[in-house]
Amino acid sequence: MKTFPFIYNEPKEFLKFLQPKDWANFFLGEINPRFSVTATKAKVMDVIEETNDTKSIVLKPNWLWKGFQSGQHLPVTVEIAGRRITRFYSLSSHPSDKYLQITVKRQKGGLVSNFINQNIKKGDILELGDASGDFVFPKDVPKQLLFLAGGSGITPIHSLLKDLEKSKYDGKVTLLYFVRSYEDIILKSSLEKIKSNVKWLEIVYVFSDVPKEGYESGFLTKEILEKYNKDLKSTSVYVCGPSPMQTKALSLLDGVNVKSELFLLPNQNVNQVKKEGTVDVFLTLSHKTIQVKGEKSLLEELEEQGIYPQSGCRMGICHTCVCKKQTGSVTDLSNGEVSELGEENIQICVARAESNLELEL
């Protein structure tokens, strides 16, 4: 039997738990875990093993789900060791499919990607946010498309290919998919099914680590681009994959219409200086003061002391961790800018303490 989480230290914190929506969510959750008046919750309908380190999670969301466009991503929240943690994943399904699908590849040191692959099973409940992102087709889809995918970067491209299939597209599409080996091809059966259903799609698998007879091998080069697309200037290119591949693609495709999808971690070396001592951070809602070194993001330094504010992407994209800074100065790790001393909203996942702070946490 679950108990309603009456956890509070001050009267104003206690009052938060008397809100009608909180009570409604609690009692609805007792009836059915997917029921909520505020959160989009989804039941895991199936877990599909794509490769030895990648799984597709098939999801049935509740009535609060607002839909998506092919190519978009969404925040997924899981609870790990009592902490709610959110990460962004591209949707690999099509908007018209019966259920949603995300495809998650295990990342070295990836807390959520490893948790999902190891622990999520049929019948579990995940919390979703709204879909977003502009890695989508324009209103008038180009007649010549080139997709460059690397590893799990195939996920949103798979959704875009399904969109073309369902819309009776009649142009020309080439997919160059770079993976380590034949066994690492993600969503292979679905890709091959799409290819067999249409006449406009050419799929080229390129293996970087383990060559296979009859297939291309190596990395992205000017030669392989020109081999499979003779007219790049007239082609719209969609790129999704690891940062080195995208950097190479953008350098090779200068002057070409390119749309890319890449989440970059904040640059921790921005204006890096060796600090001496600590700075005080007063958390006004918790009524406690902690000391941090100001060498990492505020989110990381808070978590190291057992304080876990709400967070999401951890790279300055989703704004889940925004809080009010009442006094003090921080450095924005995404661009190196140092804030003023006054009141403002900051993202603690990409903010590093530069002076004593007061935060509304």
Side-chain angles (χ1 to χ4, degrees):
M1 177 70 178
K2 293 184 292 184
T3 58
F4 197 73
F6 284 121
I7 302 174
Y8 60 90
N9 296 312
E10 296 291 326
K12 61 182 179 181
E13 295 174 28
F14 168 74
L15 290 175
K16 292 179 181 179
F17 294 101
L18 298 182
Q19 299 302 313
K21 289 183 178 180
D22 292 328
W23 279 104
N25 283 334
F26 173 70
F27 287 117
L28 285 172
E30 289 293 317
I31 300 170
N32 187 316
R34 279 200 312 126
F35 290 177
S36 173
V37 295
T38 58
T40 302
K41 295 187 177 183
K43 182 178 180 179
V44 177
M45 305 302 291
D46 199 6
V47 177
I48 303 167
E49 186 168 334
E50 303 287 353
T51 70
N52 63 1
D53 63 358
T54 305
K55 291 181 179 178
S56 287
I57 312 299
V58 181
L59 300 164
K60 181 181 181 181
N62 64 13
W63 55 84
L64 294 177
W65 174 244
K66 298 177 181 178
F68 72 102
Q69 288 180 263
S70 287
Q72 289 190 314
H73 52 259
L74 82 169
V76 178
T77 299
V78 296
E79 184 171 311
I80 303 176
R83 294 169 52 195
R84 285 170 47 82
I85 303 175
T86 304
R87 294 290 186 271
F88 279 73
Y89 294 104
S90 294
L91 288 137
S92 54
S93 53
H94 185 265
S96 67
D97 291 345
K98 182 178 181 180
Y99 299 125
L100 307 179
Q101 179 175 288
I102 58 172
T103 301
V104 182
K105 178 181 174 66
R106 294 173 66 128
Q107 303 295 329
K108 185 177 181 180
L111 179 62
V112 178
S113 66
N114 281 280
F115 178 84
I116 288 176
N117 272 269
Q118 291 173 353
N119 298 284
I120 295 301
K121 61 187 182 301
K122 186 175 180 179
D124 286 347
I125 301 294
L126 299 180
E127 185 173 323
L128 312 179
D130 293 340
S132 61
D134 59 2
F135 193 68
V136 298
F137 288 134
K139 183 178 180 180
D140 296 319
V141 181
K143 289 298 183 181
Q144 189 156 312
L145 291 162
L146 172 63
F147 292 110
L148 301 178
S152 59
I154 191 62
T155 304
I157 290 175
H158 176 263
S159 181
L160 290 170
L161 288 172
K162 293 189 72 173
D163 194 61
L164 295 175
E165 178 189 18
K166 291 179 180 295
S167 65
K168 308 300 182 183
Y169 179 74
D170 61 355
K172 175 176 172 49
V173 179
T174 302
L175 166 62
L176 297 181
Y177 184 13
F178 297 82
V179 287
R180 291 173 298 178
S181 69
Y182 184 85
E183 289 71 27
D184 290 304
I185 298 174
I186 299 170
L187 296 164
K188 185 177 187 301
S189 61
S190 183
L191 290 170
E192 293 298 326
K193 183 177 180 181
I194 295 172
K195 182 181 176 181
S196 68
N197 289 339
V198 302
K199 297 179 179 179
W200 42 258
L201 177 61
E202 178 182 16
I203 299 178
V204 180
Y205 300 111
V206 187
F207 305 131
S208 60
D209 293 6
V210 185
K212 185 176 177 65
E213 186 176 354
Y215 294 86
E216 296 282 356
S217 61
F219 298 91
L220 179 62
T221 62
K222 181 180 180 181
E223 289 71 28
I224 198 169
L225 281 175
E226 293 178 345
K227 179 177 179 179
Y228 290 100
N229 191 302
K230 305 295 185 183
D231 189 16
L232 285 170
K233 294 292 184 181
S234 301
T235 302
S236 290
V237 185
Y238 283 69
V239 185
C240 189
S243 178
M245 190 201 86
Q246 296 215 32
T247 300
K248 182 67 173 179
L250 293 175
S251 68
L252 293 173
L253 295 166
D254 186 36
V256 178
N257 180 22
V258 179
K259 186 182 286 287
S260 63
E261 174 90 320
L262 176 66
F263 297 153
L264 290 173
L265 291 171
N267 182 3
Q268 298 284 9
N269 294 317
V270 168
N271 295 337
Q272 188 74 42
V273 293
K274 181 64 177 177
K275 292 185 170 66
E276 295 183 2
T278 61
V279 297
D280 291 338
V281 179
F282 177 57
L283 308 179
T284 60
L285 298 182
S286 304
H287 305 285
K288 63 175 64 174
T289 299
I290 63 170
Q291 284 75 45
V292 302
K293 294 181 180 180
E295 295 177 349
K296 302 178 182 178
S297 73
L298 279 164
L299 178 60
E300 290 176 288
E301 296 206 277
L302 288 167
E303 289 178 340
E304 286 176 356
Q305 300 198 40
I307 299 169
Y308 301 103
Q310 188 173 8
S311 66
C313 65
R314 305 177 75 89
M315 58 184 73
I317 296 174
C318 71
H319 296 270
T320 302
C321 68
V322 168
C323 78
K324 182 177 290 184
K325 172 179 70 68
Q326 296 175 333
T327 62
S329 178
V330 298
T331 291
D332 186 330
L333 293 170
S334 66
N335 56 29
E337 293 181 1
V338 180
S339 73
E340 300 296 329
L341 294 173
E343 183 177 294
E344 63 179 338
N345 288 328
I346 64 170
Q347 293 173 266
I348 59 175
C349 72
V350 289
R352 186 181 64 205
E354 296 296 338
S355 70
N356 292 342
L357 299 169
E358 288 188 12
L359 302 179
E360 199 171 275
L361 286 173

